[in-house]
Amino acid sequence: MKKNILHLDLDTFFVSCERLIDSRLQKRPLLVGGTGDRGVVAACSYETRRFGVHSGMPMRMAKRLCPEAVVIRGNSSIYTKHSHLVTEIIKEKAPVFEKASIDEFYADLSGMDKFFGSYKYASELRHTIIKETGLPISFGLSANKIVSKVATGEAKPNNQLRIDHGFEKSFLAPLSIKKIPSVGDKTYQILRNLGIDKVRVIQQMPVEMLRSVLGVNGVTIWKRAHGIDNPPLIPYHERKSISIERTFTKDTIDMVKLRTTIFAMAENLAYQLRQGNKLAACISVKIRYSDFNTYSKQVNIPYTSADHVIIPRVLELFNKLYQRRLLIRLVGVKISNLVSGNYQINLFDDTEEMLNLYNALDAIRSRYGALSIQKAASIGAKSVASSQNPFNGDPPIILAHRKQ
């Protein structure tokens, strides 16, 4: 049976959501992302791209390139809501699908040609999404995920493209090597230094040559250039770790602020563990100084999801890690080695009252939000809180106001 893999991508998703909310933003240059000194462009409208603006660019640079652009900080909860609407439509229509990110999906339509027609079915699915959500969306359809993803990029904006079986190689040949997934800036520069600019050049090379230059990644790129790489769909994303990071608007040495932020991160991560019925056995803390040197420490602990175990270890790691007495740019906390299960009572240290308190606090947060109730030591670090369950099978959400 011939494979038919559909790739769907919501066009300039954050921008499209903002335009749904405020129709006055239609056809105006729009930037969504962090608005502070270190803000980054999370999404930009097509009107800004002719000025050289692109996502991931520092917001200050984007505003200099396109001063007439409207700048919006963005709201991750709004984008999550619209993403869920699209997900529910695809879940109802597609037999097997993967949610690759908040605005990107794959679906396996293999076998559909016998009954309905894969391309016709994909077209109707796209029009259903546009009609019911008001969001523009593009798709590519081919024999595998890689070619479909490239085809979607070529179809944009708000269009669709099918690559018939056997034409994958000829479709890819005239494209820039940058269009191949997994070719980042460094790999692109290495290939350009070798005189490789188009995919057809890679198609004419023996695989051993790319392997000698790029190692295993060279073999992957060679396969993708030939349209024969076929990674599987992943219906459920199993989280191996959860983490929170924060880049401060201004580098700081305020120890009260730093410890408050670290405390709030640990408190929220412990809550997320309990929300997903998970236990963790490894904690790590990261610091990035103003000179961009980054350090981290980690420690193994007995499996737990309790505040009174996790928070003191996080603060202890921070105290050991912070040695240079320089201004700090970023702090982060990560919890890993996750397993399913509930917290086991410690016979000598835990009390029934304390466990009942955890249950009561979590019930309030689940109903009214993560910020509805906090320990006094974490008040003032509101931006690190999250009420979403990270273990629902969706990929991690990239916030619109994420800073680098």
Side-chain angles (χ1 to χ4, degrees):
M1 182 174 62
K2 290 182 178 180
K3 282 279 187 180
N4 284 300
I5 305 299
L6 173 69
H7 176 259
L8 296 148
D9 197 349
L10 290 156
D11 296 338
T12 57
F13 178 51
F14 296 165
V15 169
S16 299
C17 291
E18 295 295 343
R19 286 174 169 172
L20 276 182
I21 298 168
D22 187 351
S23 60
R24 293 174 298 178
L25 298 174
Q26 294 290 344
K27 297 184 179 180
R28 296 185 62 183
L30 182 61
L31 301 172
V32 178
T35 55
D37 290 340
R38 291 176 179 165
V40 173
V41 177
C44 55
S45 65
Y46 287 106
E47 292 82 2
T48 66
R49 298 187 182 183
R50 61 190 179 92
F51 296 95
V53 177
H54 57 82
S55 59
M57 173 183 287
M59 185 63 78
R60 284 188 298 179
M61 182 184 296
K63 288 192 285 189
R64 285 200 299 269
L65 291 172
C66 186
E68 62 266 38
V70 178
V71 181
I72 297 177
R73 180 172 174 80
N75 188 323
S76 62
S77 62
I78 292 174
Y79 310 141
T80 302
K81 174 186 173 183
H82 284 91
S83 177
H84 285 164
L85 292 175
V86 177
T87 304
E88 289 303 312
I89 295 171
I90 296 173
K91 184 185 294 185
E92 182 182 339
K93 302 288 186 180
V96 179
F97 82 99
E98 171 189 347
K99 185 172 183 178
S101 69
I102 193 171
D103 60 351
E104 187 179 9
F105 307 84
Y106 293 94
D108 190 345
L109 303 184
S110 303
M112 195 72 71
D113 286 332
K114 291 184 178 180
F115 308 101
F116 193 77
S118 299
Y119 185 72
K120 182 179 179 182
Y121 193 82
S123 300
E124 292 194 2
L125 173 59
R126 172 174 171 260
H127 290 303
T128 299
I129 293 171
I130 294 172
K131 181 179 178 181
E132 295 189 13
T133 68
L135 296 169
I137 189 169
S138 300
F139 80 69
L141 181 68
S142 77
N144 61 61
K145 290 174 71 174
I146 301 303
V147 177
S148 294
K149 183 177 177 68
V150 176
T152 302
E154 294 302 294
K156 286 186 173 186
N158 201 24
N159 214 327
Q160 57 196 53
L161 180 62
R162 176 178 61 184
I163 309 301
D164 291 326
H165 287 260
F167 289 89
E168 296 86 2
K169 190 174 176 179
S170 58
F171 161 68
L172 294 169
L175 302 179
S176 167
I177 55 174
K178 259 198 168 178
K179 298 291 181 72
I180 301 177
S182 77
V183 175
D185 291 337
K186 287 185 178 180
T187 303
Y188 175 74
Q189 196 58 52
I190 292 172
L191 294 173
R192 290 296 290 117
N193 291 340
L194 293 173
I196 303 169
D197 58 345
K198 301 294 184 182
V199 175
R200 67 163 58 91
V201 180
I202 296 179
Q203 293 175 350
Q204 296 165 359
M205 296 171 60
V207 64
E208 291 78 13
M209 184 179 293
L210 273 187
R211 189 203 301 271
S212 65
V213 176
L214 299 172
V216 177
N217 192 41
V219 178
T220 301
I221 291 172
W222 186 89
K223 287 182 178 179
R224 292 181 174 183
H226 286 74
I228 57 177
D229 192 28
N230 193 20
L233 265 69
I234 306 172
Y236 187 90
H237 293 261
E238 185 70 41
R239 294 292 291 271
K240 302 291 175 48
S241 64
I242 55 175
S243 62
I244 301 177
E245 290 184 359
R246 179 177 176 188
T247 302
F248 297 105
T249 305
K250 292 184 178 180
D251 298 345
T252 183
I253 201 172
D254 184 341
M255 295 307 297
V256 174
K257 181 178 183 179
L258 290 168
R259 286 198 173 93
T260 298
T261 302
I262 288 283
F263 189 105
M265 288 177 173
E267 181 183 19
N268 189 249
L269 288 173
Y271 164 61
Q272 290 184 40
L273 285 175
R274 296 192 297 272
Q275 191 181 26
N277 293 321
K278 297 287 184 178
L279 302 173
C282 184
I283 298 171
S284 61
V285 174
K286 179 167 78 172
I287 289 177
R288 179 170 297 149
Y289 291 102
S290 55
D291 59 4
F292 283 86
N293 283 318
T294 305
Y295 302 89
S296 63
K297 278 186 179 294
Q298 71 176 38
V299 62
N300 292 323
I301 59 172
Y303 283 105
T304 185
S305 59
D307 289 5
H308 71 278
V309 177
I310 292 174
I311 293 174
R313 301 310 294 270
V314 167
L315 293 173
E316 180 184 334
L317 282 175
F318 174 74
N319 292 333
K320 290 180 179 179
L321 192 59
Y322 184 46
Q323 298 290 338
R324 297 185 63 197
R325 302 306 179 219
L326 293 177
L327 293 171
I328 288 180
R329 177 185 178 89
L330 172 148
V331 292
V333 178
K334 180 179 178 181
I335 294 178
S336 55
N337 290 3
L338 305 181
V339 297
S340 297
N342 295 302
Y343 175 65
Q344 298 295 310
I345 299 175
N346 186 300
L347 182 62
F348 300 103
D349 298 330
D350 297 344
T351 65
E352 186 177 352
E353 289 80 4
M354 183 184 65
L355 297 178
N356 289 336
L357 177 62
Y358 280 150
N359 291 332
L361 293 174
D362 291 348
I364 294 172
R365 289 175 179 136
S366 297
R367 184 170 183 179
Y368 299 106
L371 295 178
S372 58
I373 188 164
Q374 297 174 270
K375 292 183 173 66
S378 64
I379 293 176
K382 296 181 179 180
S383 62
V384 302
S386 173
S387 299
Q388 295 171 354
N389 180 3
F391 305 107
N392 58 7
D394 288 345
I397 293 173
I398 301 175
L399 300 180
H401 49 78
R402 191 73 173 266
K403 299 174 183 177
Q404 65 180 10

